[in-house]
Amino acid sequence: MSVQVVSAAAAAKVPEVELKDLSPSEAAPQLGLSPAAVSAMAPAAGGGDPEAPAPAPAPAPAAERPPAPGPGSGPAAALSAAAGKVPQASAMKRSDPHHQHQRLRDGGEALVSPDGTVTEAPRTVKKQIQFADQKQEFNKRPTKIGRRSLSRSISQSSTDSYSSAASYTDSSDDETSPRDKQQKNSKGSSDFCVKNIKQAEFGRREIEIAEQEMPALMALRKRAQGEKPLAGAKIVGCTHITAQTAVLMETLGALGAQCRWAACNIYSTLNEVAAALAESGFPVFAWKGESEDDFWWCIDRCVNVEGWQPNMILDDGGDLTHWIYKKYPNMFKKIKGIVEESVTGVHRLYQLSKAGKLCVPAMNVNDSVTKQKFDNLYCCRESILDGLKRTTDMMFGGKQVVVCGYGEVGKGCCAALKAMGSIVYVTEIDPICALQACMDGFRLVKLNEVIRQVDIVITCTGNKNVVTREHLDRMKNSCIVCNMGHSNTEIDVASLRTPELTWERVRSQVDHVIWPDGKRIVLLAEGRLLNLSCSTVPTFVLSITATTQALALIELYNAPEGRYKQDVYLLPKKMDEYVASLHLPTFDAHLTELTDEQAKYLGLNKNGPFKPNYYRY
């Protein structure tokens, strides 16, 4: 199966960012919270934990730059997760006890009645669920004549797959583009573009399952929907469209917002979930396997709507922000706030800020503590094994593995592989992270030193060209190569697209790249993120991210004029602690409270924040 790859020329148009010039500390103060954010964080009447004490209001943390006027933060009492409805399994029908089943020679089944009469039982036709990428090649649909591409370059972040979970693909689906279909939901609306609106029932079931593992969002929905802190907000979003994102979108709707949504990734959309959202009345424009032209067309359909002016942006990767900034500058100036959760998007915002071109306040939720720990460390500690096992069926004990990078992602990967009995090497450029790797029992090496002997190479750096063609040429036969870091730039996959090398598709997201002498490597997800392409991310992890996004939107939308300048800000630490507190009831966890004497001794408010801004968790 051939897979369309973004050309090097196209990829080159994506602005590159040097991390050393984009230190968050240069433009990321933490200020007080708005009244709406305080209200969202306050326990509802009779809705909180019956055993939890009622803490006193707490002042907001001091800003790193001169603080703008505004009220302080409110309390952050933990809330037990709302109990979800668990669907009951349908009862199994028993066969007639007076009949006996006999197997026919051709595989059918016969019923033998008490009088000896033999009749053939009705046959059941087994319907096979097909994976989307087994039915069609990515980007197979040719662009029609006259339909010009909205952009000739696509963000590298938009080519990172997010989930390999199979969408429910009906056998009647054809190769017709969703853009060429006329579809309406049950309410008669056609303001959406999804693969198949008839899949909505399947998507609704997935959303209901996700709700059970997203206690903080459900608690926030229950606590704040009475006051509608997002009433009047018109949010245009560009994220992965999965069941977990659907829970976030429906929470934003419950809090009073109007939403229009596109996918930040051409491979990650779950078609049935997009259908369920469209059926519920959300204008969604996304499907799995979009072309580059489709990608930008969907974003434009979300933004360019007559009589609808968005005032908030929720972005993952920066493509939506970039599109509005370039194509609709007048619209961009009327935006009240931007919430960005990805490394790429945050870097783009810092670039605009340094150049003096950012005319909108923006919130960086990517670097919040809870998001960093869960989305990077804890998530990767589980999903690295899941992705490798699903794709290769390998055994980890005794395997030699080199992990490039020992940040939060690398730490999680190394811990999981070490626990499974693998021999783990680490490469690092940062002496502090390198020393941590040594103290954790890993041997620090240069990639060239071990490239000939290792069985698995895993990149976790956020950099580009970490594994080059020279490294790939020197690898041993059947070495597994994969990426757990940022975007699809860490492995030089483009250098493998040469005539002398043969590509052989083994299964979904697994390719053999064969050298002329017969040596082959096993390349996973074509260098895109392994855990997002070949496995699934735990819903509980996404609950952390989605809750920070919702709180950031509430804060920016309701902040008094002057609190946030035209700059990039970190999520206030008080909100970070609140997000964590909302998830504690899941574990039946009970926080210890400071006494007045202890709080005075430490110089803290009893209700937090409990750590200074410079604290490293």
Side-chain angles (χ1 to χ4, degrees), residues 33-343:
L33 310 185
S34 68
V38 172
S39 174
M41 294 166 61
D49 187 344
E51 297 182 3
E64 294 179 10
R65 60 175 64 176
S73 305
L79 180 69
S80 58
K85 296 182 179 179
V86 180
Q88 297 180 350
S90 58
M92 296 180 62
K93 295 182 179 180
R94 294 176 177 269
S95 58
D96 188 345
H98 298 292
H99 289 76
Q100 297 178 354
H101 291 256
Q102 290 185 356
R103 186 68 57 184
L104 299 181
R105 291 183 178 180
D106 62 354
E109 192 173 281
L111 296 178
V112 183
S113 61
D115 60 0
T117 305
V118 179
T119 58
E120 185 175 356
R123 297 172 182 258
T124 302
V125 179
K126 295 183 179 179
K127 190 173 183 179
Q128 183 179 3
I129 298 178
Q130 296 180 334
F131 287 80
D133 58 356
Q134 290 175 333
K135 289 200 63 183
Q136 61 184 12
E137 299 176 0
F138 293 129
N139 306 333
K140 187 174 182 179
R141 183 183 69 86
T143 304
K144 285 191 172 184
I145 297 175
R147 178 179 288 168
R148 297 182 60 188
S149 173
L150 296 176
S151 173
R152 293 186 177 274
S153 65
I154 193 167
S155 167
Q156 292 167 339
S157 64
S158 69
T159 60
D160 299 334
S161 296
Y162 197 71
S163 172
S164 64
S167 294
Y168 291 93
T169 305
D170 189 82
S171 59
S172 63
D173 283 353
D174 53 28
E175 298 297 327
T176 304
S177 168
R179 293 167 60 174
D180 300 328
K181 295 180 180 179
Q182 296 294 328
Q183 300 185 82
K184 291 184 178 182
N185 62 16
S186 61
K187 302 177 182 64
S189 173
S190 59
D191 188 17
F192 62 88
C193 189
V194 299
K195 182 69 174 177
N196 187 352
I197 190 65
K198 295 179 181 179
Q199 298 176 352
E201 184 180 352
F202 292 114
R204 178 51 52 187
R205 295 173 190 172
E206 294 194 24
I207 295 172
E208 291 172 352
I209 292 173
E211 289 176 350
Q212 313 309 312
E213 275 286 295
M214 305 187 81
L217 270 188
M218 302 306 293
L220 188 65
R221 186 186 300 185
K222 180 179 179 181
R223 179 174 295 179
Q225 65 179 350
E227 299 181 6
K228 303 289 185 183
L230 290 176
K234 295 183 178 180
I235 304 172
V236 57
C238 184
T239 65
H240 301 284
I241 296 184
T242 62
Q244 295 80 16
T245 307
V247 178
L248 170 62
M249 292 172 62
E250 292 184 345
T251 298
L252 298 177
L255 300 183
Q258 298 179 30
C259 301
R260 297 181 68 86
W261 229 263
C264 69
N265 185 292
I266 61 177
Y267 300 137
S268 67
T269 299
L270 295 183
N271 289 330
E272 64 273 14
V273 171
L277 288 168
E279 174 61 31
S280 299
F282 286 91
V284 174
F285 301 86
W287 58 92
K288 186 178 180 70
E290 298 171 7
S291 68
E292 178 181 342
D293 184 51
D294 294 332
F295 175 79
W296 295 109
W297 178 87
C298 288
I299 288 180
D300 196 68
R301 282 294 304 272
C302 284
V303 175
N304 187 16
V305 184
E306 185 177 355
W308 198 82
Q309 163 68 47
N311 51 27
M312 298 294 293
I313 294 175
L314 178 56
D315 210 353
D316 183 348
D319 289 315
L320 173 61
T321 302
H322 180 75
W323 184 257
I324 299 178
Y325 175 78
K326 289 292 187 181
K327 298 285 290 186
Y328 305 101
N330 293 331
M331 179 185 294
F332 189 75
K333 294 176 182 178
K334 297 178 182 179
I335 299 292
K336 293 191 65 173
I338 301 170
V339 176
E340 173 61 57
E341 74 147 325
S342 75
V343 174

Side-chain angles (χ1 to χ4, degrees), residues 57 67 102 162 209 267 279 311 339 344 346 349 414-415 443 446 500 522 526 550 577 579 601:
Q102 290 185 356
Y162 197 71
I209 292 173
Y267 300 137
E279 174 61 31
N311 51 27
V339 176
T344 302
V346 167
L349 290 174
C414 289
R443 183 183 169 194
K446 292 184 177 180
E500 74 271 14
V522 182
E526 297 183 71
E577 293 178 351
V579 171
Y601 179 79

Side-chain angles (χ1 to χ4, degrees), residues 406 426 428 432-444:
Y406 202 68
V426 171
E428 249 301 339
I432 297 176
C433 293
L435 185 58
Q436 286 181 306
C438 294
M439 294 300 295
D440 290 337
F442 302 108
R443 183 183 169 194
L444 191 74

